[in-house]
Amino acid sequence: MPKPLSRRSFNRAMLLIGGSFALSSKLAGRELRIPRIGIQSSLSNAPQIHAAGGQFVGLSVAGFLDPFGPEAEFAAKLDEAAKSPIPIYTCNSFIRAKHLHCTGPEANHDEVVAYCEIAFDRAKRAKVSNITFGSSGSRNIPEGFDYDTAIEQFVSLLKRLGPLAAARGVTVSVEQLQSRECNFINRISEVERVVRAANHPNIRGVADFYHMAAEGDTPEQLASAADIIHHVEIAELEGRRVPGTSGQDFRPFLGVLKKADYRGAIGIEGRWEISEIEAAFAEIKKQWIEA
């Protein structure tokens, strides 16, 4: 009988398998599905991320898709992206332009939608299938502005974006942001509220474990929203470092998603060095297995 793999060897073997959306194995008599794992970075780091076991790279709408940028420049970026050993699955930094407002008395949805249409067009051409909607500056509400009115404004915008995103094969995933960065949609329950109200399959939610930990969200609150979660971002609360740095336990949250048969991806978004990411990918997989 062959000698069983040690945990170290098992994790290393998984890191060397790439390109598929999920890895399947048999563990304790049942099929184990491990989400695709990657990291927010730059295309220049893609070969090293791939060598470390990463299955995708995340870029930014503002920097890569750059809806206000010249077509010739974007075409050159597409040529560069075609050489990447791993796909560009997701983009964040969605709406950065200071004149675009999703909420408040200066909300200008027609201009926001026009910008987003270009972003979705370019995402389709780059084969980017997820756009994370954090964008604190575009959705912050002025002091004294009615919260429920802001919710209505934001949901109204999402309802307009859903069909436009769907036509290009893109999902817009709303992200909660911690209150020290943004004053609107700070909890996973608020993500759930606006996504359910938008009621469109291409408007989903992000579970950002860093922001969730900062705001005190619980596994039970994540469980309520698990069916609308399309993407996960992960970093340790201490220093926003990669998993495994200080030993933060993500298993309670990963277990919720695992039970819900989560089929999305997990992307590291935080502070890191190239030398750290192979161990970080292994730590995420280990915690997923044990959750």
Side-chain angles (χ1 to χ4, degrees), residues 116 120 131 160-172 200 202-203:
C116 292
F120 298 156
I131 290 179
R160 293 180 66 178
L161 295 184
L164 299 176
R168 282 94 171 169
V170 174
T171 297
V172 176
H200 193 281
N202 289 71
I203 301 295

Side-chain angles (χ1 to χ4, degrees), residues 107-164:
N108 50 351
H109 286 184
D110 288 346
E111 292 179 61
V112 172
V113 168
Y115 166 89
C116 292
E117 281 197 273
I118 301 171
F120 298 156
D121 282 337
R122 291 189 170 187
K124 178 181 179 179
R125 292 166 61 192
K127 299 180 181 178
V128 172
S129 59
N130 181 74
I131 290 179
T132 294
F133 195 166
S135 308
S136 60
S138 75
R139 75 186 203 205
N140 269 325
I141 55 178
E143 185 176 353
F145 192 81
D146 182 66
Y147 172 83
D148 288 330
T149 300
I151 288 285
E152 290 173 5
Q153 289 178 316
F154 198 73
V155 169
S156 175
L157 176 62
L158 293 178
K159 286 181 175 180
R160 293 180 66 178
L161 295 184
L164 299 176

Side-chain angles (χ1 to χ4, degrees), residues 9-286:
S9 297
F10 179 60
N11 286 337
R12 177 63 181 168
M14 287 192 298
L15 281 169
L16 296 176
I17 300 173
S20 62
F21 183 79
L23 308 177
S24 293
S25 182
K26 291 286 183 180
L27 187 69
R30 61 183 175 83
E31 185 179 44
L32 174 68
R33 178 178 293 274
I34 300 175
R36 180 167 53 163
I37 298 174
I39 192 165
Q40 289 291 138
S41 183
S42 64
L43 270 180
S44 62
N45 286 328
Q48 292 165 289
I49 294 167
H50 179 243
Q55 294 167 286
F56 68 86
V57 63
L59 304 181
S60 75
V61 172
F64 176 61
L65 300 179
D66 189 15
F68 290 134
E71 170 60 28
E73 290 184 8
F74 180 62
K77 292 175 185 176
L78 286 179
D79 290 341
E80 182 185 2
K83 301 171 187 174
S84 173
I86 48 178
I88 305 163
Y89 165 67
T90 184
C91 284
N92 61 9
S93 296
F94 184 22
I95 303 174
R96 295 286 296 275
K98 293 185 188 233
H99 71 283
L100 296 178
H101 303 281
C102 303
T103 60
E106 297 182 20
N108 50 351
H109 286 184
D110 288 346
E111 292 179 61
V112 172
V113 168
Y115 166 89
C116 292
E117 281 197 273
I118 301 171
F120 298 156
D121 282 337
R122 291 189 170 187
K124 178 181 179 179
R125 292 166 61 192
K127 299 180 181 178
V128 172
S129 59
N130 181 74
I131 290 179
T132 294
F133 195 166
S135 308
S136 60
S138 75
R139 75 186 203 205
N140 269 325
I141 55 178
E143 185 176 353
F145 192 81
D146 182 66
Y147 172 83
D148 288 330
T149 300
I151 288 285
E152 290 173 5
Q153 289 178 316
F154 198 73
V155 169
S156 175
L157 176 62
L158 293 178
K159 286 181 175 180
R160 293 180 66 178
L161 295 184
L164 299 176
R168 282 94 171 169
V170 174
T171 297
V172 176
S173 299
V174 180
E175 178 187 20
Q176 69 178 103
L177 299 171
Q178 59 184 288
S179 51
R180 71 184 180 88
E181 297 181 8
C182 183
N183 67 3
F184 184 62
I185 310 182
N186 305 124
R187 307 299 294 267
I188 196 68
S189 57
E190 294 174 286
V191 170
E192 182 183 8
R193 177 179 177 181
V194 297
V195 169
R196 294 203 191 283
N199 192 30
H200 193 281
N202 289 71
I203 301 295
R204 301 282 91 184
V206 174
D208 187 309
F209 291 169
Y210 172 71
H211 293 306
M212 290 176 69
E215 293 298 311
D217 282 335
T218 66
E220 291 74 22
Q221 289 166 327
L222 176 59
S224 175
D227 64 301
I228 56 94
I229 298 300
H230 181 72
H231 186 55
V232 169
E233 292 183 341
I234 191 169
E236 292 192 344
L237 182 60
E238 185 177 333
R240 205 168 190 173
R241 303 293 298 181
V242 298
T245 303
S246 61
Q248 184 172 335
D249 185 6
F250 297 100
R251 292 174 188 84
F253 295 98
L254 292 174
V256 166
L257 296 177
K258 194 172 172 182
K259 183 177 180 181
D261 195 26
Y262 174 67
R263 297 299 178 106
I266 299 175
I268 295 172
E269 186 191 32
R271 300 181 179 90
W272 50 272
E273 303 291 337
I274 285 289
S275 60
E276 300 174 314
I277 59 174
E278 181 174 346
F281 292 149
E283 179 64 22
I284 294 168
K285 292 176 182 178
K286 174 177 176 289

